[in-house]
């Protein structure tokens, strides 16, 4: 029974609420119909505004924060105990001032070790260079010596060849001369032989003639004198034969002598040829030997690439040792943290004696002589916001103070999540009143137009691609007027065509207004384009 009652009570309450809501809604609909019927008997109730000149200023309000242009977080590259750290938050520091020292005794030992390695590597390189220098000198001297020996041997060969030609030519000349003498001697022998034969013939002829003369004398045909003459002629001819025979013998001796000289000359020529060829062969052998010695000496130069490779390896060892030394010295330098800027310490996270790990932040130094106010702007305003644009800035932490600056930078890339662009405004801050992280309010003047005719924004309605305004004439009749709009701000909009200054327009209406309809002015009628009043229904649509 209790359970049924517990279920029924909520149901009854819910049913009562539904009935009450239904009766209330019916009453509201009845009141609305009665109100509309009452209003239909008179003109449409509206709020009017007067078209008037106005300077339209379009601004953009946004918020941002103060940021230092140089925010340096000092962290060591090497791990170790902090031996020196004296500055604290608020202390001013200078660029190059030593702020933190990390214990570097171990690294100092590494530096000394690497210096020793560099000295050893340089010593090995110097020794190799000295050895190579002496070896190169010896090889060069040997090559020059063997080249000189080759030149000398080639000169000897040339001289021997020339001597051989001269000696052979001389010997051949001697042989030729001997042959000429032999030929001459043979001619003399032949001439002498002919003389002997002639003398013998003359002697025989004289003997025959003597014998005939003697026979004739014995017969008494001639005188004794004729016999004596014939006998004398025989004796003369016989003497001539002896002379001719002696000349033949002398010519034969001369021929034999010439033949001996010829044989000797031929022997000397053969000897000269054999000796000359032997001397040439010996000289050629010396040339070949000298050339071989030069080739051997030149072949020693092939060791040069090996020496060069060894020197290159030693130079590389020196460079490697020097590189390791520079690394050790760099690690030693990394134990000292200096301020890279003139600034103020804004954060300290460690104390002396603490063990700092590599990359752990110890201090933060920020530059405060001038600061940036950073903010973001919607993507649709990026075409209007440019570098150099003035901005007015206020800070909640500095009430009653206004700062002016210019946009220094506009980020050309939007944030991927917010789809907004970042801007930075530079403000001088020599007194350091502005602190990083302070909240700022920014007002940017995007445009400023001196419009001749303006109306409240709510007076203009867009229908399709055209803009309309309801004007009100002196008979309180509404007329639908097509207009051309221009610039605008948060309250008013410029009318370039369709209205003139002083025209009355409907800014707000309590019910739809139609062309030609009579209107009834509200309490705020007659106010200008920049100050149209707000009636019930706010910015309701017009027909």
């Amino acid at each position: 029974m209790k359970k049924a009652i517990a279920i029924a009570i909520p149901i009854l309450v819910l049913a009562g609420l539904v009935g009450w809501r239904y009766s209330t809604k019916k009453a509201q609909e009845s009141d609305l119909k009665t109100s509309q019927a009452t209003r239909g008997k008179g003109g449409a109730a509206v709020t009017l505004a007067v078209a008037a000149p106005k300077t339209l200023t379009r601004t953009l309000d946004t918020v941002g924060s103060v940021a230092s242009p140089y925010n340096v977080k000092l962290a060591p590259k090497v791990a170790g105990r902090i031996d020196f750290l004296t500055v604290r938050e608020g202390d001013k520091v200078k660029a190059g001032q030593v702020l933190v020292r990390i214990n570097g005794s171990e690294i100092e030992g590494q530096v000394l070790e690497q210096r020793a390695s560099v000295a050893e590597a340089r010593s090995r390189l110097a020794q190799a260079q000295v050895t190579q220098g002496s070896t190169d000198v010896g090889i060069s001297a040997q090559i020059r010596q063997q080249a000189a020996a080759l030149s000398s041997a080639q000169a000897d060969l040339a001289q021997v060849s020339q001597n051989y030609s001269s000696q052979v030519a001389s010997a051949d000349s001697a042989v030729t001369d001997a042959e000429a003498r032999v030929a001459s001697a043979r001619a003399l022998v032949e001439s002498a032989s002919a003389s002997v034969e002639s003398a013998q013939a003359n002697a025989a002829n004289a003997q025959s003639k003597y014998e005939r003369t003697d026979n004739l004398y014995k017969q008494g045909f001639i005188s004794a004198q004729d016999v004596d003459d014939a006998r004398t002629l025989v004796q003369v001819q016989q003497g001539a034969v002896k002379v001719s025979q002696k000349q033949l013998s002398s010519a034969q001796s001369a021929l034999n002598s010439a033949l001996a000289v010829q044989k000797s000359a031929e022997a000397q020529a053969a000897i000269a040829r054999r000796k000359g060829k032997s001397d040439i062969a010996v000289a050629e052998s010396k040339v070949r030997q000298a050339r071989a010695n030069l080739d051997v000496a030149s072949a020693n130069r092939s060791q040069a690439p090996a020496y060069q490779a060894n020197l290159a390896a030693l130079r590389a060892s020196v460079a490697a040792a020097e590189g390791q030394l520079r690394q050790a010295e760099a690690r030693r330098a990394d134990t000292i943290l200096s301020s890279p800027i003139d600034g103020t310490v804004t954060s300290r996270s460690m104390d002396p004696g603490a063990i700092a790990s590599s990359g752990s932040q110890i201090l933060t130094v920020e530059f405060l002589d001038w600061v940036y106010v950073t903010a973001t702007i919607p993507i649709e305003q990026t075409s209007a916001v440019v570098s150099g644009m003035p901005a007015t800035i206020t800070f909640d932490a500095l009430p009653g103070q206004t700062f002016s600056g210019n946009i220094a930078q506009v980020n050309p890339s939007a944030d991927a999540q917010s789809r907004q662009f970042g801007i930075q405004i530079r403000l001088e801050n020599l007194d350091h009143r502005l602190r990083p992280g302070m909240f700022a309010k920014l007002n940017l003047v995007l445009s400023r137009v001196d419009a001749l005719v303006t109306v409240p924004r709510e007076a203009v309605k867009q229908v399709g691609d055209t803009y309309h305004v309801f004007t009100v004439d002196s008979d309180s009749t509404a007329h639908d007027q097509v207009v051309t709009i221009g610039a605008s701000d948060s309250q008013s909009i410029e009318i370039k065509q369709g209205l003139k200054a002083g025209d009355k327009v409907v800014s707000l209406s309590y019910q739809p207004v139609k062309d030609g309809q009579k209107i009834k002015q509200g309490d705020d009628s007659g106010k200008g384009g920049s100050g149209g009043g707000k009636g019930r229904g706010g910015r309701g649509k017009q027909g």
Side-chain angles (χ1 to χ4, degrees):
M1 185 64 178
K2 292 181 179 180
K3 184 176 182 181
I5 294 173
I7 295 173
I9 290 174
I11 293 174
L12 292 175
V13 172
L14 180 60
L17 290 173
V18 171
W20 173 78
R21 178 60 180 168
Y22 180 76
S23 60
T24 302
K25 185 175 181 181
K26 284 294 185 179
Q28 290 176 349
E29 290 178 353
S30 177
D31 292 342
L32 181 60
K33 290 180 179 179
T34 302
S35 175
Q36 290 176 348
T38 302
R39 292 175 181 176
K41 294 179 181 179
V46 299
T47 299
L48 298 181
V50 178
K54 181 183 178 183
T55 298
L56 300 178
T57 302
R58 186 163 64 95
T59 62
L60 174 64
D61 292 324
T62 184
V63 295
S65 60
V66 177
S68 170
Y70 306 112
N71 186 320
V72 182
K73 294 176 173 56
L74 297 180
K77 292 184 179 180
V78 296
R81 186 182 69 253
I82 299 176
D83 288 345
F84 175 81
L85 175 57
T86 60
V87 295
R88 291 189 174 277
E89 293 87 343
D91 290 344
K92 293 183 179 181
V93 297
K94 296 292 184 180
Q97 178 180 341
V98 176
L99 303 182
V100 182
R101 284 196 181 94
I102 305 296
N103 185 278
S105 56
E106 181 179 354
I107 297 177
E108 184 65 29
Q110 295 175 358
V111 171
L112 297 176
E113 181 180 356
Q114 292 305 322
R115 284 179 179 173
S117 299
V118 169
E120 182 181 359
R122 287 175 177 172
S123 175
R124 291 197 299 268
L125 175 60
Q127 184 63 35
Q129 288 173 334
V130 171
T131 302
Q132 184 195 13
S134 61
T135 302
D136 288 343
V137 170
I139 292 174
S140 299
Q142 187 178 7
I143 290 174
R144 289 193 297 271
Q145 180 180 358
Q146 296 304 327
L150 175 60
S151 298
S152 177
Q154 289 174 337
D156 291 343
L157 174 60
Q159 184 64 40
V160 169
S161 299
Q162 184 177 0
N163 292 341
Y164 169 76
S165 300
S166 298
Q167 291 172 359
V168 169
S170 178
D172 289 343
S173 177
V175 170
T176 302
D177 184 61
E179 289 176 347
R181 290 182 180 182
V182 168
S184 177
R186 288 184 187 279
L188 291 174
V189 169
E190 291 175 355
S191 177
S193 296
S195 295
V196 169
E197 290 176 356
S198 175
Q200 288 177 345
N202 290 333
N205 187 29
Q207 185 65 35
S208 295
K209 188 175 180 180
Y210 168 72
E211 289 178 354
R212 286 192 303 270
T213 301
D214 185 58
N215 288 332
L216 289 175
Y217 173 71
K218 288 178 177 181
Q219 292 176 10
F221 290 105
I222 60 174
S223 63
Q225 184 63 41
D226 292 332
V227 173
D228 291 336
D229 291 341
R231 186 183 296 112
T232 300
L233 182 60
V234 169
Q235 291 176 350
V236 170
Q237 292 300 326
Q238 288 177 347
V241 169
K242 291 180 180 178
V243 171
S244 297
Q245 287 177 341
K246 289 182 178 179
Q247 291 178 347
L248 175 60
S249 177
S250 177
Q252 189 66 45
S253 297
L255 174 60
N256 292 335
S257 176
L259 288 172
V261 172
Q262 178 183 358
K263 187 176 181 180
S264 176
E266 290 175 348
Q268 290 296 328
I271 292 172
R273 283 188 173 86
R274 288 194 298 271
K275 185 177 183 303
K277 290 181 179 180
S278 177
D279 291 343
I280 289 174
V282 171
E284 289 177 343
S285 176
K286 290 182 178 179
V287 169
R288 288 193 295 271
Q289 181 64 35
R291 183 174 285 111
N293 292 337
L294 178 60
D295 291 340
V296 171
S298 299
N300 291 331
R301 282 183 172 175
S302 61
Q303 300 175 5
Y307 281 116
Q308 293 298 331
N310 184 46
L311 289 178
L314 293 174
R315 290 190 183 97
S317 298
V318 171
E322 290 175 345
Q324 292 176 353
L325 173 60
R326 286 193 294 270
Q327 290 179 354
E329 290 174 342
R331 287 194 296 271
R332 181 180 62 182
D334 290 338
T335 61
I336 299 176
L337 301 183
S338 302
S339 176
I341 61 172
D342 293 340
T344 303
V345 177
T346 59
S347 173
R348 169 173 160 170
S349 56
M350 293 187 183
D351 295 318
I355 302 299
S357 59
S358 176
S360 59
Q361 180 180 337
I362 299 177
L363 295 173
T364 300
V365 178
E366 296 187 71
F367 181 82
L368 300 179
D369 289 347
W370 60 269
V371 294
Y372 279 130
V373 176
T374 62
T376 57
I377 57 173
I379 191 171
E380 59 270 14
Q381 301 293 347
T382 54
S383 60
V385 178
V386 296
S387 297
M389 177 179 291
T392 301
I393 307 167
T394 59
F395 299 92
D396 290 347
L398 301 173
Q401 299 184 41
T402 301
F403 297 81
S404 297
N406 297 91
I407 296 178
Q409 293 179 340
V410 178
N411 193 336
S413 177
D415 183 83
Q417 295 181 350
S418 65
R419 302 298 177 185
Q420 293 196 341
F421 288 79
I423 62 172
Q424 292 181 329
I425 301 170
R426 173 171 171 165
L427 295 179
E428 296 298 328
N429 189 37
L430 295 178
D431 55 2
H432 293 185
R433 285 184 300 167
L434 304 179
R435 310 288 180 84
M438 290 177 61
F439 179 77
K441 296 178 181 179
L442 292 81
N443 179 264
L444 305 176
V445 178
L446 302 181
S447 64
R448 191 184 301 273
V449 176
D450 293 328
L452 298 178
V453 180
T454 64
V455 297
R457 295 180 64 92
E458 54 269 17
V460 180
K461 310 300 177 186
Q462 183 176 2
V463 179
D465 294 334
T466 60
Y467 294 90
H468 298 256
V469 173
F470 279 98
T471 61
V472 179
D473 60 15
S474 58
D475 294 335
S476 297
T477 302
H479 300 281
D480 188 358
Q481 178 66 41
V482 177
V483 295
T484 302
I485 66 173
S488 63
D489 60 12
S490 61
Q491 296 179 347
S492 305
I493 188 168
E494 179 186 14
I495 305 298
K496 290 187 173 181
Q497 293 181 356
L499 292 180
K500 62 182 182 296
D503 289 345
K504 293 182 179 181
V505 298
V506 176
S507 61
L508 294 175
S509 63
Y510 297 91
Q511 61 187 14
V513 178
K514 297 180 181 180
D515 187 28
Q517 183 180 4
K518 292 291 185 178
I519 60 95
K520 181 173 63 176
Q521 297 182 12
D523 294 339
D524 295 331
S525 63
K527 291 187 178 181
S530 61
K534 296 182 181 179
R536 186 164 54 94
R539 297 171 63 180
K541 294 184 179 179
Q542 295 182 0

